[in-house]
Amino acid sequence: QVQLTESGGDSVQPGGSLKLSCLLSGDKFSRYCLGWFRQVPGKEREGVAGIDTNETPTYEASVKGRFTISRDTPKKTLYLEMTDLKPEDSAAYYCAAEPIGLHRRCSDYVEEYTYSGQGTQVTVSS
């Protein structure tokens, strides 16, 4: 059973930075497409970034150039480094995982991945 455990959420001022981490346990890390989505109460999930098994990243337009997604296979950990944070980035952030299929391609729709964690809260406010 795959488990995802996020950490690193906090309250920061606009322009600040945070680094989120997500530990994957229960299965082989390299089998999974990984990503981050976020959600604000009353709104739908929004995919933020994804990374495939070749470490190729994709980003939602509003975070491109500010957020960096990465994965560390020996540590079985996914990261999201966030800089120049804005109030509109405030949300609960979730890491997500999907086993890569026989086609060896990862979906861009991170918010629909099969597995996700409990979330970590990011609040950007002055």
Side-chain angles (χ1 to χ4, degrees):
Q1 179 76 12
V2 173
Q3 286 193 319
L4 300 169
T5 306
E6 303 98 335
S7 62
D10 205 345
S11 295
V12 296
Q13 294 188 339
S17 300
L18 282 174
K19 186 173 184 177
L20 307 183
S21 301
C22 174
L23 176 67
L24 186 151
S25 60
D27 202 351
K28 190 174 181 180
F29 186 78
S30 59
R31 289 186 60 226
Y32 289 85
C33 305
L34 300 171
W36 294 90
F37 65 88
R38 61 190 179 188
Q39 191 168 25
V40 175
K43 293 192 174 181
E44 292 189 354
R45 295 179 175 185
E46 177 186 41
V48 174
I51 187 165
D52 67 13
T53 55
N54 293 318
E55 301 191 14
T56 301
T58 58
Y59 297 98
E60 191 271 330
S62 71
V63 308
K64 198 172 292 186
R66 299 189 298 122
F67 290 10
T68 302
I69 188 170
S70 61
R71 58 193 292 167
D72 185 326
T73 297
K75 294 183 178 179
K76 302 184 74 172
T77 301
L78 174 71
Y79 300 101
L80 185 68
E81 191 155 10
M82 306 184 292
T83 64
D84 191 21
L85 283 160
K86 306 176 185 299
E88 52 265 39
D89 294 318
S90 297
Y93 282 72
Y94 300 84
C95 67
E98 181 72 35
I100 194 163
L102 294 175
H103 50 70
R104 308 297 296 174
R105 292 188 64 185
C106 293
S107 167
D108 288 339
Y109 299 101
V110 172
E111 65 273 22
E112 296 178 358
Y113 282 7
T114 299
Y115 302 102
S116 60
Q118 295 299 307
T120 187
Q121 181 67 36
V122 173
T123 302
V124 185
S125 173
S126 54

